[in-house]
Amino acid sequence: MAKGALRPGDLVPPIRSLADELGVNPNTAATAYRILRDRGVVETAGRRGTRVRRRPATAPVPADIAPAPAGVRDLSDGQPASRLLPRSADALRHGAAVSAGRGYGAPDVAERFAAASRRRLAADRVPATHLAVVHGTLDAVERGLQAHLRPGDRVAVEDPAWSNLTDLLAAMGLTAEPVAVDDDGMRADELRVALAAGCRAVVVTPRAQVPTGAAVSASRARALQRVLTSYPHTVLVEDDHAADVAGA
């Protein structure tokens, strides 16, 4: 699947056929399929068999599924502009200089970076007692949800949602509960319904929401706060991936 030999929507062999082909016990093949299903790679449709998910978590979405129209800049993959990235050689030299002499017991986050980050977060009244450096938005969201949720839990997400996020939830064994988004962000009335139905967490994008580009207005933020106050044990993840670049 990762190599593209099996594409989204393709049927995978029945368990017994695969077991016979590989010379293994059918229980072994069944366990492998269950792991693939738990990780969001395949989906089972009863008698119609098991198929590769439209967005398997193991491979990027094929470009021909939803190509960007001519003249439109495609931002859906979240990749940075290569011309704006530092040259790898310079970055490696800088990293080597920073890490020189560091050993066990050294701070996990560079002190100057931590201080600058705390100042920025404090300006937005975000608690910054604990900081972590992660490998991108999905890594951060996964770590936050993994610390608090268990497979089977439901997570309120924006609708339409960032497809990579829904793939992540499927791979974690979590269920995505759609909450509609308008120009002012996630709708508070629909969030209340989702939380009342048992969602244990909510992932909200305050600005540059993908794919709509919506930004949460001040009035909508207050409405969302009122809803969340009624559910104080809800895990709230604010995905501010674009930050100041969003221009909102």
Side-chain angles (χ1 to χ4, degrees), residues 207-241:
R207 45 193 171 181
Q209 196 270 343
V210 178
T212 68
V216 176
S217 64
S219 60
R220 180 62 54 81
R222 290 191 291 270
L224 292 171
Q225 287 173 344
R226 287 193 293 270
V227 172
L228 290 166
T229 299
S230 302
Y231 296 88
H233 299 295
T234 301
V235 177
L236 172 64
V237 177
E238 289 190 63
D239 173 11
D240 193 17
H241 64 93

Short mmCIF file of all heavy atoms in Angstrom, two decimals, residues 207-241:
data_model
loop_
_atom_site.label_atom_id
_atom_site.label_comp_id
_atom_site.label_asym_id
_atom_site.label_seq_id
_atom_site.Cartn_x
_atom_site.Cartn_y
_atom_site.Cartn_z
N ARG A 207 -7.38 30.04 13.74
CA ARG A 207 -7.23 30.85 12.53
C ARG A 207 -6.59 29.99 11.45
O ARG A 207 -5.95 28.99 11.74
CB ARG A 207 -6.38 32.09 12.82
CG ARG A 207 -5.12 31.82 13.63
CD ARG A 207 -4.48 33.09 14.14
NE ARG A 207 -3.40 32.81 15.09
CZ ARG A 207 -2.68 33.73 15.70
NH1 ARG A 207 -2.91 35.01 15.47
NH2 ARG A 207 -1.73 33.40 16.55
N ALA A 208 -6.82 30.40 10.20
CA ALA A 208 -6.31 29.64 9.04
C ALA A 208 -6.79 28.20 9.08
O ALA A 208 -6.03 27.27 8.87
CB ALA A 208 -4.79 29.71 8.96
N GLN A 209 -8.10 28.02 9.33
CA GLN A 209 -8.65 26.68 9.39
C GLN A 209 -8.54 26.01 8.02
O GLN A 209 -8.80 26.62 6.99
CB GLN A 209 -10.12 26.73 9.83
CG GLN A 209 -10.70 25.41 10.29
CD GLN A 209 -11.35 24.60 9.20
OE1 GLN A 209 -11.65 25.12 8.14
NE2 GLN A 209 -11.55 23.32 9.45
N VAL A 210 -8.12 24.77 8.03
CA VAL A 210 -8.00 24.00 6.79
C VAL A 210 -9.21 23.06 6.69
O VAL A 210 -9.48 22.33 7.63
CB VAL A 210 -6.70 23.17 6.78
CG1 VAL A 210 -6.62 22.33 5.51
CG2 VAL A 210 -5.48 24.08 6.90
N PRO A 211 -10.01 23.13 5.60
CA PRO A 211 -9.71 23.79 4.33
C PRO A 211 -10.42 25.12 4.11
O PRO A 211 -10.29 25.69 3.03
CB PRO A 211 -10.23 22.77 3.32
CG PRO A 211 -11.44 22.19 4.00
CD PRO A 211 -11.11 22.14 5.46
N THR A 212 -11.17 25.65 5.08
CA THR A 212 -12.01 26.82 4.80
C THR A 212 -11.29 28.15 4.96
O THR A 212 -11.71 29.16 4.39
CB THR A 212 -13.23 26.84 5.74
OG1 THR A 212 -12.79 27.10 7.08
CG2 THR A 212 -13.98 25.52 5.69
N GLY A 213 -10.21 28.20 5.75
CA GLY A 213 -9.53 29.46 6.01
C GLY A 213 -10.20 30.31 7.07
O GLY A 213 -9.81 31.46 7.30
N ALA A 214 -11.22 29.77 7.75
CA ALA A 214 -11.96 30.54 8.76
C ALA A 214 -11.07 30.91 9.95
O ALA A 214 -10.11 30.21 10.27
CB ALA A 214 -13.17 29.74 9.24
N ALA A 215 -11.43 32.03 10.60
CA ALA A 215 -10.76 32.46 11.83
C ALA A 215 -11.83 32.70 12.89
O ALA A 215 -12.88 33.28 12.60
CB ALA A 215 -9.95 33.72 11.60
N VAL A 216 -11.58 32.25 14.12
CA VAL A 216 -12.55 32.39 15.20
C VAL A 216 -12.66 33.86 15.59
O VAL A 216 -11.66 34.49 15.97
CB VAL A 216 -12.14 31.53 16.41
CG1 VAL A 216 -13.11 31.75 17.57
CG2 VAL A 216 -12.10 30.06 16.03
N SER A 217 -13.86 34.42 15.51
CA SER A 217 -14.08 35.81 15.90
C SER A 217 -14.13 35.92 17.42
O SER A 217 -14.26 34.92 18.13
CB SER A 217 -15.40 36.31 15.32
OG SER A 217 -16.49 35.58 15.86
N ALA A 218 -14.04 37.15 17.93
CA ALA A 218 -14.07 37.36 19.38
C ALA A 218 -15.40 36.89 19.98
O ALA A 218 -15.42 36.25 21.04
CB ALA A 218 -13.83 38.83 19.69
N SER A 219 -16.50 37.21 19.32
CA SER A 219 -17.80 36.79 19.85
C SER A 219 -17.95 35.27 19.82
O SER A 219 -18.50 34.67 20.76
CB SER A 219 -18.93 37.45 19.06
OG SER A 219 -18.86 37.08 17.68
N ARG A 220 -17.44 34.63 18.76
CA ARG A 220 -17.52 33.17 18.69
C ARG A 220 -16.63 32.53 19.76
O ARG A 220 -17.00 31.51 20.35
CB ARG A 220 -17.11 32.68 17.30
CG ARG A 220 -17.17 31.15 17.11
CD ARG A 220 -18.58 30.58 17.29
NE ARG A 220 -19.55 31.24 16.45
CZ ARG A 220 -19.74 30.95 15.16
NH1 ARG A 220 -19.04 29.99 14.57
NH2 ARG A 220 -20.66 31.60 14.45
N ALA A 221 -15.48 33.14 20.01
CA ALA A 221 -14.60 32.62 21.06
C ALA A 221 -15.30 32.63 22.41
O ALA A 221 -15.20 31.67 23.19
CB ALA A 221 -13.30 33.43 21.11
N ARG A 222 -16.02 33.71 22.70
CA ARG A 222 -16.74 33.78 23.98
C ARG A 222 -17.82 32.71 24.04
O ARG A 222 -18.05 32.09 25.09
CB ARG A 222 -17.33 35.18 24.17
CG ARG A 222 -16.29 36.26 24.44
CD ARG A 222 -16.93 37.56 24.89
NE ARG A 222 -17.68 38.18 23.79
CZ ARG A 222 -17.15 39.06 22.93
NH1 ARG A 222 -15.88 39.40 23.02
NH2 ARG A 222 -17.88 39.59 21.97
N ALA A 223 -18.52 32.49 22.91
CA ALA A 223 -19.57 31.47 22.88
C ALA A 223 -18.98 30.08 23.09
O ALA A 223 -19.55 29.25 23.82
CB ALA A 223 -20.32 31.54 21.56
N LEU A 224 -17.84 29.80 22.48
CA LEU A 224 -17.19 28.51 22.66
C LEU A 224 -16.71 28.34 24.10
O LEU A 224 -16.81 27.24 24.68
CB LEU A 224 -16.00 28.38 21.70
CG LEU A 224 -16.35 28.28 20.21
CD1 LEU A 224 -15.08 28.38 19.36
CD2 LEU A 224 -17.08 26.98 19.91
N GLN A 225 -16.21 29.42 24.69
CA GLN A 225 -15.78 29.35 26.09
C GLN A 225 -16.94 29.01 27.01
O GLN A 225 -16.80 28.21 27.95
CB GLN A 225 -15.15 30.69 26.51
CG GLN A 225 -13.78 30.92 25.91
CD GLN A 225 -13.25 32.32 26.21
OE1 GLN A 225 -14.01 33.20 26.60
NE2 GLN A 225 -11.97 32.52 25.99
N ARG A 226 -18.12 29.60 26.75
CA ARG A 226 -19.29 29.30 27.58
C ARG A 226 -19.66 27.82 27.49
O ARG A 226 -20.00 27.19 28.50
CB ARG A 226 -20.47 30.19 27.17
CG ARG A 226 -20.33 31.64 27.58
CD ARG A 226 -21.64 32.38 27.44
NE ARG A 226 -22.05 32.52 26.04
CZ ARG A 226 -21.70 33.54 25.27
NH1 ARG A 226 -20.92 34.51 25.74
NH2 ARG A 226 -22.12 33.61 24.02
N VAL A 227 -19.59 27.26 26.29
CA VAL A 227 -19.90 25.83 26.13
C VAL A 227 -18.89 24.98 26.88
O VAL A 227 -19.25 24.06 27.62
CB VAL A 227 -19.92 25.46 24.64
CG1 VAL A 227 -20.06 23.94 24.47
CG2 VAL A 227 -21.06 26.17 23.92
N LEU A 228 -17.60 25.29 26.71
CA LEU A 228 -16.56 24.48 27.34
C LEU A 228 -16.59 24.59 28.85
O LEU A 228 -16.23 23.64 29.56
CB LEU A 228 -15.19 24.90 26.80
CG LEU A 228 -14.93 24.51 25.34
CD1 LEU A 228 -13.71 25.25 24.80
CD2 LEU A 228 -14.74 23.02 25.21
N THR A 229 -17.04 25.73 29.38
CA THR A 229 -17.15 25.90 30.83
C THR A 229 -18.12 24.89 31.42
O THR A 229 -17.97 24.44 32.57
CB THR A 229 -17.58 27.33 31.17
OG1 THR A 229 -16.60 28.25 30.68
CG2 THR A 229 -17.71 27.52 32.68
N SER A 230 -19.11 24.51 30.62
CA SER A 230 -20.10 23.53 31.09
C SER A 230 -19.55 22.11 31.07
O SER A 230 -20.17 21.20 31.64
CB SER A 230 -21.36 23.59 30.22
OG SER A 230 -21.93 24.90 30.24
N TYR A 231 -18.43 21.91 30.42
CA TYR A 231 -17.81 20.58 30.32
C TYR A 231 -16.33 20.71 30.70
O TYR A 231 -15.44 20.62 29.87
CB TYR A 231 -17.96 20.02 28.91
CG TYR A 231 -19.40 19.78 28.52
CD1 TYR A 231 -20.16 20.80 27.93
CD2 TYR A 231 -20.03 18.56 28.77
CE1 TYR A 231 -21.49 20.59 27.58
CE2 TYR A 231 -21.35 18.34 28.43
CZ TYR A 231 -22.08 19.37 27.83
OH TYR A 231 -23.40 19.16 27.50
N PRO A 232 -16.06 20.95 32.01
CA PRO A 232 -14.70 21.30 32.43
C PRO A 232 -13.66 20.19 32.26
O PRO A 232 -12.46 20.47 32.32
CB PRO A 232 -14.89 21.66 33.91
CG PRO A 232 -16.11 20.91 34.33
CD PRO A 232 -17.01 20.91 33.13
N HIS A 233 -14.09 18.96 32.04
CA HIS A 233 -13.13 17.87 31.91
C HIS A 233 -12.78 17.57 30.45
O HIS A 233 -12.05 16.62 30.17
CB HIS A 233 -13.67 16.60 32.58
CG HIS A 233 -13.92 16.77 34.05
ND1 HIS A 233 -12.91 17.01 34.96
CD2 HIS A 233 -15.07 16.78 34.77
CE1 HIS A 233 -13.41 17.12 36.18
NE2 HIS A 233 -14.72 17.01 36.08
N THR A 234 -13.28 18.38 29.55
CA THR A 234 -12.99 18.18 28.13
C THR A 234 -11.54 18.57 27.82
O THR A 234 -11.04 19.59 28.29
CB THR A 234 -13.93 19.05 27.27
OG1 THR A 234 -15.28 18.68 27.55
CG2 THR A 234 -13.65 18.83 25.79
N VAL A 235 -10.88 17.74 27.03
CA VAL A 235 -9.53 18.05 26.58
C VAL A 235 -9.64 18.99 25.38
O VAL A 235 -10.26 18.66 24.38
CB VAL A 235 -8.78 16.77 26.16
CG1 VAL A 235 -7.38 17.12 25.63
CG2 VAL A 235 -8.67 15.81 27.34
N LEU A 236 -9.06 20.17 25.50
CA LEU A 236 -9.11 21.17 24.43
C LEU A 236 -7.75 21.29 23.77
O LEU A 236 -6.76 21.59 24.44
CB LEU A 236 -9.55 22.53 24.98
CG LEU A 236 -9.46 23.71 24.00
CD1 LEU A 236 -10.41 23.51 22.82
CD2 LEU A 236 -9.75 25.02 24.71
N VAL A 237 -7.70 21.06 22.46
CA VAL A 237 -6.48 21.23 21.69
C VAL A 237 -6.70 22.39 20.72
O VAL A 237 -7.58 22.31 19.86
CB VAL A 237 -6.11 19.95 20.91
CG1 VAL A 237 -4.87 20.19 20.05
CG2 VAL A 237 -5.90 18.79 21.86
N GLU A 238 -5.93 23.45 20.87
CA GLU A 238 -6.00 24.58 19.95
C GLU A 238 -4.86 24.43 18.93
O GLU A 238 -3.69 24.55 19.28
CB GLU A 238 -5.86 25.90 20.70
CG GLU A 238 -7.07 26.26 21.54
CD GLU A 238 -6.98 27.68 22.08
OE1 GLU A 238 -6.97 28.62 21.25
OE2 GLU A 238 -6.89 27.84 23.30
N ASP A 239 -5.24 24.17 17.70
CA ASP A 239 -4.27 23.96 16.63
C ASP A 239 -4.00 25.29 15.93
O ASP A 239 -4.58 25.60 14.90
CB ASP A 239 -4.83 22.91 15.65
CG ASP A 239 -3.96 22.75 14.41
OD1 ASP A 239 -2.83 23.29 14.42
OD2 ASP A 239 -4.41 22.10 13.46
N ASP A 240 -3.09 26.07 16.50
CA ASP A 240 -2.77 27.39 15.93
C ASP A 240 -1.55 27.25 15.02
O ASP A 240 -0.52 27.89 15.22
CB ASP A 240 -2.50 28.37 17.07
CG ASP A 240 -2.47 29.82 16.57
OD1 ASP A 240 -2.97 30.08 15.46
OD2 ASP A 240 -1.95 30.68 17.30
N HIS A 241 -1.68 26.39 14.01
CA HIS A 241 -0.53 26.01 13.18
C HIS A 241 0.04 27.19 12.39
O HIS A 241 1.24 27.23 12.13
CB HIS A 241 -0.94 24.90 12.21
CG HIS A 241 -1.99 25.33 11.23
ND1 HIS A 241 -1.67 25.82 9.99
CD2 HIS A 241 -3.35 25.38 11.32
CE1 HIS A 241 -2.79 26.13 9.35
NE2 HIS A 241 -3.82 25.87 10.14
#
